Amino acid sequence: MLALCSASVFADSIPVATEAAPVTATLGLDDCLRIALSESPTVKVADMDITRADFSKKEILGNLLPTISFGGTYTRMLAKQVAYMNLKGMPGMGGGSEGGEEGGEGAGSSSSSSRGDGIKMGLDNSYQVGFNASLPLIAPQLWQNLKLSDAQIAQSVENARASRLNLVNQVKNAYYALLLAKDSRKVVQESYDMAALTHRIYSDQFAAGAASEYDVLRTSVAMKNVEPEITQADIAISRARLQLLILMGITPDDAQNIDFSGNLADYEKTMYEDVLRLGNDWQNNTSLRQNELQTQLLERTVKVNKMAWYPTLSLTANYNWTSSSDGNPLRNFRWNPYSIVGLTLNFPIFQGGQRHFRIRQAQVQVDMARMQRQDLENSVNMQVKLAQDNIKLNVKQIGSSAESVGEAERAHTIMQQSFDIGAASYLDLRDSELALTRSRLAYYQSIYNYLIAGAELELLLGNAVLPDKTE
């Protein structure tokens, strides 16, 4: 009988509450949504991703600003470079003719000796310290990267909105499941009370000799058959409550004094208004918007890759001090400053086809995203129509179930009166009780199905009203 209570799927290993703590706070659906949006780690992570994307943009912006660095180098000369000079007509400096045509043997000997000695150049120690600065003047790829960062931020914002919409949907489903479990528990308790009352009446009659022991046993069995259903209802309430608390970011230890208000019958009053409010415009569907932003991001990536073909121009400036000495590296410093300013132009010509194939890859990704868009639109359109049909069918089912409950109540009242005057048997009375219980459970189940279908349509349309978490 209580199989419908399992419509809300939760963990199977959740303990059952044994004793209710004093209630100090009663929360409705809006309160649950507000707390969940404020405390949920999923939402906080999505907001942090927006902050991360903003920092990424600032990092790229920093590449357009001047960069200044300070550094120093020290080198020790291990073997000095030797220079040879061939100066004709200058004895001792490598002069003379190569073939020895003029000057005789003496000249040839002098030239050979000069070429053999050479001149050693450089000093043992060399120091250089100073400042280096550069400023990009023309950087097309960096400029496009800034626009790419804007697209990434927009995508992060939409992802955060999607996280909130999904969380709202999950909280509503858990809240409605809790209401279904509580209302079902109430119906089963009423069935148990009726069975217990009948058993007590027969027990009193048996004690007075007006009823048989069989009647007492039969009513006792009917009463005890309801007890497992009460246990199942309690388990369903505990599971639904724990699931809702998890979505709200509240631990069970912190929720001992928290209860949740409302019942499913309250939503029957506004269900027609809710259906008309939702509409059928699915342009705000978060999956479609994410696909659109992803396509824009990929298009920006194509442009960034194309900018790799363009030249770059940067301004450079250096201010350094140099010193050179022989012997001990810690003595005889002679510091001399010098500074330079210049322009650096870089025109990429050939890189093995890397840029070309990188652009082709990005363009293929753009085409894939555009093709996925069409399939996604068809899927969302079909899901919206299906959710709308489910809502309409559930509205009809609610009306039919409400009429069934009224008829079952009247039938049970008639059967109860007939049983009191002895015109009906206990089996007839028990059948009317079971029919009333089933009709009430079906009524609550139809309202639950309607609410779940409405939440699903709301998620598909992406137009859920998010409560202000600061209230």
Side-chain angles (χ1 to χ4, degrees):
M1 185 181 300
L2 276 185
L4 56 92
C5 292
S6 61
S8 54
V9 180
F10 302 107
D12 294 332
S13 59
I14 299 175
V16 180
T18 58
E19 183 178 356
V23 177
T24 59
T26 302
L27 304 179
L29 178 58
D30 289 341
D31 299 322
C32 295
L33 294 174
R34 190 176 301 111
I35 294 174
L37 292 174
S38 176
E39 301 297 331
S40 173
T42 303
V43 174
K44 291 181 179 179
V45 169
D47 291 338
M48 292 173 65
D49 189 60
I50 297 177
T51 305
R52 180 202 59 78
D54 184 58
F55 288 151
S56 177
K57 178 182 178 180
K58 292 179 179 179
E59 177 188 4
I60 297 175
L61 182 62
N63 293 327
L64 298 176
L65 302 177
T67 58
I68 302 175
S69 62
F70 176 81
T73 59
Y74 164 75
T75 57
R76 175 74 178 182
M77 186 76 72
L78 299 180
K80 296 181 180 179
Q81 183 179 6
V82 179
Y84 299 93
M85 293 181 290
N86 186 12
L87 303 177
K88 296 181 180 180
M90 297 182 65
M93 297 299 292
S97 63
E98 294 184 12
E101 295 178 356
E102 298 179 359
E105 296 181 358
S109 175
S110 175
S111 175
S112 174
S113 175
S114 177
R115 287 195 299 270
D117 295 340
I119 301 174
K120 292 185 177 181
M121 303 180 63
L123 299 177
D124 294 338
N125 307 302
S126 178
Y127 305 86
Q128 179 175 327
V129 294
F131 295 93
N132 301 314
S134 64
L135 174 65
L137 300 179
I138 300 177
Q141 198 166 26
L142 286 178
W143 298 339
Q144 285 296 329
N145 274 327
L146 281 176
K147 297 180 180 180
L148 181 65
S149 297
D150 291 335
Q152 291 174 340
I153 292 176
Q155 190 176 39
S156 298
V157 171
E158 182 58 30
N159 290 339
R161 191 179 80 95
S163 298
R164 284 177 166 80
L165 292 177
N166 288 326
L167 180 62
V168 167
N169 179 261
Q170 294 175 7
V171 170
K172 287 186 176 182
N173 290 345
Y175 181 80
Y176 297 149
L178 178 59
L179 296 187
L180 175 62
K182 292 172 67 174
D183 288 340
S184 299
R185 173 65 167 79
K186 190 183 303 180
V187 171
V188 175
Q189 184 63 47
E190 292 176 356
S191 177
Y192 178 81
D193 293 340
M194 287 188 292
L197 177 61
T198 304
H199 174 66
R200 187 166 59 252
I201 292 174
Y202 272 104
S203 298
D204 294 340
Q205 291 178 354
F206 174 74
S212 65
E213 184 180 1
Y214 173 76
D215 293 330
V216 176
L217 294 175
R218 184 172 56 183
T219 56
S220 176
V221 170
M223 178 183 66
K224 292 180 179 179
N225 286 339
V226 184
E227 292 179 356
E229 299 177 3
I230 294 178
T231 302
Q232 294 176 14
D234 290 336
I235 294 175
I237 292 175
S238 178
R239 291 177 175 176
R241 187 175 186 275
L242 184 57
Q243 178 68 14
L244 182 57
L245 291 174
I246 292 175
L247 292 172
M248 293 169 58
I250 301 176
T251 61
D253 295 337
D254 297 334
Q256 295 295 325
N257 300 331
I258 294 179
D259 194 13
F260 299 94
S261 62
N263 56 76
L264 293 175
D266 295 338
Y267 292 92
E268 184 181 4
K269 305 173 184 178
T270 60
M271 62 181 182
Y272 298 104
E273 179 182 350
D274 294 340
V275 171
L276 295 175
R277 178 183 62 82
L278 291 176
N280 57 1
D281 183 11
W282 41 263
Q283 294 301 320
N284 286 328
N285 178 269
T286 183
S287 297
L288 291 176
R289 294 186 61 174
Q290 287 176 333
N291 176 268
E292 179 182 358
L293 293 173
Q294 178 67 18
T295 303
Q296 295 177 2
L297 182 65
L298 293 174
E299 290 174 347
R300 289 292 181 188
T301 303
V302 173
K303 293 182 179 179
V304 169
N305 291 329
K306 288 182 178 180
M307 291 300 105
W309 294 88
Y310 288 74
T312 59
L313 180 66
S314 60
L315 173 66
T316 59
N318 298 321
Y319 192 90
N320 299 306
W321 292 266
T322 61
S323 176
S324 301
S325 64
D326 280 325
N328 192 333
L330 302 179
R331 300 178 59 185
N332 302 321
F333 294 108
R334 293 177 296 179
W335 295 103
N336 298 290
Y338 77 94
S339 59
I340 59 173
V341 176
L343 295 174
T344 301
L345 176 65
N346 181 22
F347 201 116
I349 298 177
F350 181 70
Q351 295 181 357
Q354 299 179 34
R355 291 170 295 178
H356 172 71
F357 291 112
R358 194 178 297 121
I359 293 174
R360 294 292 300 272
Q361 292 180 52
Q363 187 61 52
V364 169
Q365 290 180 317
V366 172
D367 297 337
M368 291 171 57
R370 289 173 178 171
M371 293 180 65
Q372 292 171 353
R373 170 79 180 191
Q374 185 61 44
D375 291 339
L376 190 58
E377 287 182 354
N378 295 335
S379 176
V380 170
N381 188 25
M382 180 188 65
Q383 294 179 49
V384 168
K385 291 182 179 179
L386 181 61
Q388 290 175 336
D389 292 339
N390 289 336
I391 290 177
K392 294 176 182 178
L393 292 175
N394 288 322
V395 168
K396 294 180 181 179
Q397 183 64 36
I398 291 174
S400 176
S401 299
E403 293 180 0
S404 177
V405 170
E407 294 174 353
E409 289 176 348
R410 290 195 298 271
H412 178 68
T413 301
I414 294 173
M415 190 57 62
Q416 182 69 51
Q417 294 173 352
S418 301
F419 177 76
D420 292 341
I421 63 176
S425 65
Y426 172 72
L427 292 178
D428 296 332
L429 177 63
R430 188 57 185 165
D431 288 341
S432 66
E433 291 176 355
L434 293 176
L436 177 59
T437 300
R438 285 194 295 267
S439 63
R440 286 175 175 173
L441 292 176
Y443 169 69
Y444 290 128
Q445 182 69 50
S446 61
I447 296 179
Y448 170 79
N449 292 338
Y450 156 76
L451 293 174
I452 294 299
E456 182 66 21
L457 178 60
E458 188 179 59
L459 178 63
L460 289 171
L461 299 180
N463 57 2
V465 179
L466 303 179
D468 186 2
K469 64 181 181 181
T470 60
E471 290 182 359

